[in-house]
Structure formats: structure tokens, C-alpha cells
């Protein structure tokens, strides 16, 4: 069995255990990684991939990821009165994408309210039109652990949401969570581009 499909199966089994089978109550802790991997009969690497796969694809949520696309202009351009990008480019692109099987993409949505809906759980992923449009919301909710993924590039790019943190050099007050996540994500994107799995 291909490793990625085993990760997908494991993500589905985790979802079933947590949600569908109601074996765990909300807030109840899962067994530790070693116990859970032994119980599920998979390696710890596969278990980690399954957990991350579930977070990224919505597999653990039991549905295709709900992807929301932000508008470029204020109030979605007011039907062309405040800019035509939503009418001429963004809307038609979304219509083209949703015709492809496996995609659950909607929008464009006004960026000033979109993140309220996303944080309330209405969406799993938000695609923004430019750096600060997404970064302000992202940094407000997860400054120390979030990453930024740049799309449409010829090579994978993921960076720490908090930037270089030069102001913390030598103060022994930093965490490496965001950096580690950025490195792992970049490696996964690079391997996915080559048709391999991360392990």
C-alpha cells in the first residue's frame, strides 16, 4: 500500500475515532504518539503524516476543505464600481476551479469580514490576494506558530509568519515552532511536486 494512502486511511480512522464513533469526548486527550501509533498499527511517521494531512486537507473533518477566496477590492469591488478584478478575474477563475472534481471553493468574499467567518469555522482555508491582507488576520490569531505559503511560484516557499525576529536575537526568548513548521511544509511541497511523500 502506498504510504500516502496509508496516511489518508489513518487520518480517516482518527476522524472516525474522534467524531463519528464518539469514543472520545470533546477535550479528552488522545493517547501519546507511541501508544496511538501502536494501537493503529502504523509507524509514528505515518501517524504524524495522517494528523498533518487531516489538518491540511480537511480529511479529519470528514469533508473536502472549504476554501474561501478573498476579494482584492473593498466590498468585493461593489460589482465593478470600486475595481473590476472580482468581476473580470477572480470570480471567473473560481467558477473554472469549482468545475474540477475535488474542489470546494467559494468567493470572492470581502476581506474585512471573511476572516471572522473563517475563524468561526465556516472555512478551512482562506486564499488572499496579497501579503498584508492575510498576514494581519493570521498574526492576530497565531503569531508564534503560523506560517505563510506563497503560491504560484516555480518552487515551494513557506516562511515564518513572524518574519526574521532580529529583535529577539540573543535574548533566549524565541520558539522555533513556526520555523520548524515552515521547513516541514516546504519539504512536503517540494516532495509533492516530485510525486513523493514526506517521511
Amino acid at each position: 500500500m502506498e504510504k500516502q494512502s496509508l496516511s489518508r486511511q489513518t487520518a480517516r480512522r482518527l476522524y472516525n475515532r474522534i467524531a463519528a464513533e464518539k469514543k472520545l469526548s470533546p477535550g479528552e486527550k488522545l493517547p501519546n504518539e507511541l501508544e496511538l501509533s501502536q494501537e493503529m498499527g502504523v509507524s509514528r511517521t505515518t501517524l504524524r503524516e495522517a494528523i498533518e494531512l487531516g489538518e491540511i486537507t480537511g480529511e479529519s473533518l470528514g469533508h473536502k476543505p472549504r476554501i474561501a477566496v478573498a476579494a482584492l477590492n473593498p466590498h468585493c469591488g461593489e460589482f465593478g464600481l470600486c475595481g473590476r478584478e472580482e468581476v473580470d478575474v477572480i470570480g471567473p477563475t473560481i467558477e473554472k476551479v469549482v468545475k474540477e472534481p475535488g474542489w470546494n471553493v467559494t468567493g470572492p468574499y470581502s476581506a474585512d469580514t471573511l476572516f471572522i467567518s473563517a475563524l468561526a469555522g465556516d472555512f478551512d482555508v482562506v486564499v488572499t490576494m496579497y501579503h498584508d491582507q492575510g498576514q494581519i488576520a493570521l498574526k492576530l490569531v497565531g503569531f508564534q506558530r503560523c506560517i505563510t505559503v506563497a503560491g504560484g511560484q516555480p518552487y515551494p516557499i513557506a516562511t515564518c509568519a513572524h518574519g526574521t525576529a532580529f529583535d529577539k536575537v540573543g535574548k533566549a526568548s524565541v520558539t522555533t515552532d513556526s520555523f520548524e513548521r515552515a521547513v516541514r511544509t516546504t519539504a512536503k511541497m517540494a516532495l509533492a511536486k516530485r510525486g513523493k511523500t514526506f517521511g
Side-chain angles (χ1 to χ4, degrees), residues 3-191:
K3 194 171 192 178
Q4 186 160 349
S5 64
L6 181 58
S7 298
R8 283 192 185 278
Q9 282 187 345
T10 305
R12 171 60 59 194
R13 287 170 58 202
L14 277 171
Y15 167 76
N16 288 337
R17 176 177 177 166
I18 295 166
E21 297 174 11
K22 306 290 184 195
K23 288 186 176 176
L24 291 176
S25 304
E28 187 175 342
K29 289 188 176 181
L30 284 168
N32 68 40
E33 186 179 274
L34 179 60
E35 293 168 344
L36 193 56
S37 65
Q38 289 173 345
E39 178 185 319
M40 302 190 92
V42 297
S43 71
R44 292 169 79 170
T45 300
T46 299
L47 179 64
R48 281 188 214 117
E49 287 174 357
I51 291 167
E52 290 182 9
L53 178 70
E55 290 173 355
I56 293 167
T57 68
E59 188 77 23
S60 61
L61 304 172
H63 62 256
K64 293 175 188 164
R66 297 161 300 174
I67 303 170
V69 178
L72 175 65
N73 296 298
H75 307 285
C76 287
E78 296 282 0
F79 305 102
L81 295 174
C82 301
R84 296 209 37 93
E85 287 82 1
E86 290 75 16
V87 175
D88 297 338
V89 180
I90 302 168
T93 301
I94 292 169
E95 287 177 24
K96 196 182 300 183
V97 168
V98 296
K99 291 178 183 169
E100 298 286 328
W103 289 95
N104 181 9
V105 183
T106 56
Y109 296 102
S110 291
D112 60 348
T113 57
L114 173 57
F115 293 99
I116 296 168
S117 299
L119 291 171
D122 295 339
F123 303 107
D124 303 306
V125 175
V126 175
V127 177
T128 60
M129 293 294 117
Y130 58 95
H131 181 272
D132 285 0
Q133 189 181 54
Q135 289 296 298
I136 293 167
L138 184 69
K139 290 178 181 183
L140 278 171
V141 297
F143 188 71
Q144 292 297 332
R145 58 182 203 281
C146 291
I147 64 168
T148 301
V149 175
Q153 305 299 319
Y155 39 80
I157 300 173
T159 62
C160 303
H162 56 64
T164 56
F166 282 133
D167 58 320
K168 300 207 177 216
V169 172
K171 296 181 181 172
S173 63
V174 298
T175 64
T176 59
D177 297 348
S178 182
F179 178 74
E180 290 174 31
R181 191 168 286 168
V183 170
R184 279 196 309 271
T185 301
T186 304
K188 285 181 186 178
M189 291 189 308
L191 290 170

